[in-house]
Amino acid sequence: MPKIKKRGGQKSPLTPKQRKIAATARAVRRAAERDADPTIAEREAWLARKVEALAQARTQQWPQTLDDIAGRSGPYADTVVAVAKARAACLWATPWQQPAPALTNSREVISQCFDLYRAQLWRDVGGWGPHGEYVIHDSGDVEKLPAPVLDDLSEDSRCEAMRVIAETQAEWEAAGCPGLDHSNLHFAFRSLEIEIADGRLAPIPE
């Protein structure tokens, strides 16, 4: 490792190359320490198992199936299940980094229609959904407004959007309903919790 010149008793800043060399040296020393002291490796392995166990416990506290999410959602069960299915269908039809399946409608149209549809599901029970818009007034105050919904469209546009949604969900179901996993179930249930916490929906009865 190159020597670092001192100025006034202080070390000069390391260059990027020097920092890389120093980091490599530290990694080598830590590896040597683990080899020399088995308790270090054992402690690191124990910590890794602990972190994994905590992550699994956190995952298990959220609904794991549609029946589970329906049972926890009280009077909002139908809405939360519909939101979970809609999100799963939309993500399946509009993947980010994978080729989209061959569908009747384009991914851009599908995405826009499902955004309106999910917001409509929440609006129908008195909520807003997770896609509200923020407006900054001249006074500097920030106000969150409810997201656009299907009811904001003209009758012809609304019918066209519902056609896209129905066709996409039918194609998703024909593919085996992929995506009804922890992520989408958590999203739907967490959206319900936010609606309740923000006071737009009444709490679930005990």
Side-chain angles (χ1 to χ4, degrees):
M1 180 174 177
K3 295 182 180 180
I4 303 173
K5 295 181 180 180
K6 295 184 178 180
R7 295 180 181 177
Q10 299 294 327
K11 293 182 179 179
S12 61
L14 295 175
T15 65
K17 183 177 181 180
Q18 289 172 330
R19 286 197 295 270
K20 184 176 181 180
I21 293 173
T24 301
R26 287 194 297 271
V28 171
R29 285 198 301 270
R30 284 197 296 269
E33 291 171 354
R34 284 196 297 269
D35 291 340
D37 186 355
T39 59
I40 295 178
E42 292 172 1
R43 183 167 64 251
E44 291 184 349
W46 178 85
L47 287 173
R49 291 194 298 270
K50 188 71 172 178
V51 169
E52 183 179 359
L54 289 173
Q56 290 179 351
R58 185 174 183 180
T59 297
Q60 291 171 358
Q61 72 178 334
W62 298 104
Q64 303 296 310
T65 65
L66 285 178
D67 288 341
D68 190 8
I69 205 174
R72 297 195 197 188
S73 301
Y76 311 111
D78 291 343
T79 298
V80 178
V81 168
V83 168
K85 289 183 176 180
R87 187 170 190 264
C90 184
L91 291 179
W92 168 77
T94 60
W96 282 100
Q97 298 179 339
Q98 299 176 2
L103 302 174
T104 304
N105 302 283
S106 71
R107 59 188 300 166
E108 291 78 12
V109 170
I110 291 172
S111 179
Q112 294 172 3
C113 291
F114 271 90
D115 281 348
L116 294 171
Y117 175 54
R118 291 199 302 268
Q120 183 70 58
L121 290 171
W122 289 115
R123 183 75 64 86
D124 288 344
V125 293
W128 282 3
H131 299 292
E133 299 177 346
Y134 289 90
V135 175
I136 302 177
H137 297 283
D138 294 338
S139 62
D141 295 334
V142 179
E143 180 183 9
K144 183 179 181 181
L145 301 177
V149 296
L150 291 171
D151 284 349
D152 295 330
L153 303 176
S154 66
E155 183 176 355
D156 288 344
S157 295
R158 184 167 60 252
C159 290
E160 180 66 14
M162 289 304 300
R163 179 192 63 77
V164 171
I165 292 164
E167 288 176 346
T168 305
Q169 286 197 311
E171 291 167 327
W172 170 71
E173 290 172 358
C177 301
L180 281 177
D181 51 17
H182 166 73
S183 175
N184 284 316
L185 295 176
H186 172 271
F187 176 88
F189 191 72
R190 181 59 180 156
S191 297
L192 172 61
E193 290 189 326
I194 292 173
E195 294 289 340
I196 294 173
D198 288 349
R200 292 187 289 272
L201 297 182
I204 299 173
E206 295 292 340

